[in-house]
Amino acid sequence: GNSVTQMEGPVTLSEEAFLTINCTYTATGYPSLFWYVQYPGEGLQLLLKATKADDKGSNKGFEATYRKETTSFHLEKGSVQVSDSAVYFCALTPNQAGTALIFGKGTTLSVSS
Amino acid sequence: EAGVTQSPTHLIKTRGQQVTLRCSPISGHTSVYWYQQALGLGLQFLLWYDEGEERNRGNFPPRFSGRQFPNYSSELNVNALELEDSALYLCASSLASYGYTFGSGTRLTVV
């Protein structure tokens, strides 16, 4: 079946530290991959996406590369800010009829100044 | 462009009652998805509607149901509420199963 596994949090960093949140997936076919962010008290916002192998999604200093050989889509940012504190969800859609977005359990990031 | 809107934002219900949550998708989006975000359980897929029809449902009991109207807005109904139904219910819309946009959710508390 299709599934997403994320590293468990919480992740606690100081401002300007390097961030990596690991995400691996299992899917049939060729899924599209996403990172969503949820700020406290809000819904989900699309952070970045990649639709095929070796694609790199990027937004607001965050990056993730679609690695088919390792079935991974790790999220990285070179220098985090306090405002990046949120819950981050890795997700995939298998691009098959009748299937919706499948999410990982989420990773909480807390950045202190 | 207006985003996905959900109502109400918060509500409190008593165990055994019924509740209806509403979602208005982005104009032009024909698909609506419902997710449950319960504490510690992540985001669980509930239902998917497209062009007025239910296309798929997650692993939830039949007391979770819904519908989609001709204007593509949607309702989620939960009957016989249980304490563990307390969660944030998120609605998303998309066009052709790609590019999902989420609303801010409805926080349901069952007491």
Side-chain angles (χ1 to χ4, degrees), chain A residues 80-98:
Chain A
V80 294
Q81 305 300 312
V82 172
S83 57
D84 294 327
S85 298
V87 182
Y88 293 81
F89 292 91
C90 185
L92 69 82
T93 178
N95 290 326
Q96 297 169 339

Side-chain angles (χ1 to χ4, degrees), chain A residues 13-112:
Chain A
L13 296 173
S14 298
E15 208 165 22
E16 299 183 3
F18 184 86
L19 168 71
T20 299
I21 300 178
N22 291 336
C23 171
T24 57
Y25 68 89
T26 302
T28 54
Y30 301 94
S32 295
L33 302 174
F34 305 83
W35 276 100
Y36 281 84
V37 59
Q38 186 177 34
Y39 297 103
E42 299 183 12
L44 271 68
Q45 299 177 26
L46 177 64
L47 183 58
L48 53 85
K49 64 186 179 188
T51 59
K52 61 183 187 297
D54 299 325
D55 267 1
K56 177 185 282 189
S58 62
N59 185 26
K60 300 180 182 179
F62 291 89
E63 293 183 339
T65 301
Y66 188 143
R67 301 286 188 200
K68 189 166 177 62
E69 63 276 13
T70 55
T71 61
S72 65
F73 193 54
H74 304 321
L75 182 68
E76 296 182 336
K77 187 175 185 183
S79 176
V80 294
Q81 305 300 312
V82 172
S83 57
D84 294 327
S85 298
V87 182
Y88 293 81
F89 292 91
C90 185
L92 69 82
T93 178
N95 290 326
Q96 297 169 339
T99 53
L101 265 178
I102 297 165
F103 287 90
K105 291 190 180 296
T107 302
T108 299
L109 170 65
S110 179
V111 181
S112 57

Side-chain angles (χ1 to χ4, degrees), chain A residues 32 34 36 38 41-44 46 49 51 89 93 95-105, chain B residues 33 35 37 40-45 48 55-56 88 90 97-105 107:
Chain A
S32 295
F34 305 83
Y36 281 84
Q38 186 177 34
E42 299 183 12
L44 271 68
L46 177 64
K49 64 186 179 188
T51 59
F89 292 91
T93 178
N95 290 326
Q96 297 169 339
T99 53
L101 265 178
I102 297 165
F103 287 90
K105 291 190 180 296
Chain B
Y33 306 81
Y35 286 84
Q37 187 178 22
L41 294 180
L43 281 148
Q44 306 293 318
F45 167 66
W48 171 14
R55 300 297 184 183
N56 201 0
L88 179 67
L90 290 166
S97 301
Y98 188 74
Y100 301 72
T101 302
F102 282 82
S104 297
R107 184 160 301 280

Side-chain angles (χ1 to χ4, degrees), chain B residues 64-107:
Chain B
F64 287 84
S65 65
R67 55 179 172 168
Q68 187 179 34
F69 298 97
N71 66 354
Y72 304 117
S73 66
S74 176
E75 285 182 351
L76 173 68
N77 299 293
V78 187
N79 294 320
L81 284 166
E82 300 178 1
L83 296 179
E84 49 267 35
D85 296 334
S86 295
L88 179 67
Y89 289 85
L90 290 166
C91 170
S93 74
S94 76
L95 184 62
S97 301
Y98 188 74
Y100 301 72
T101 302
F102 282 82
S104 297
T106 294
R107 184 160 301 280

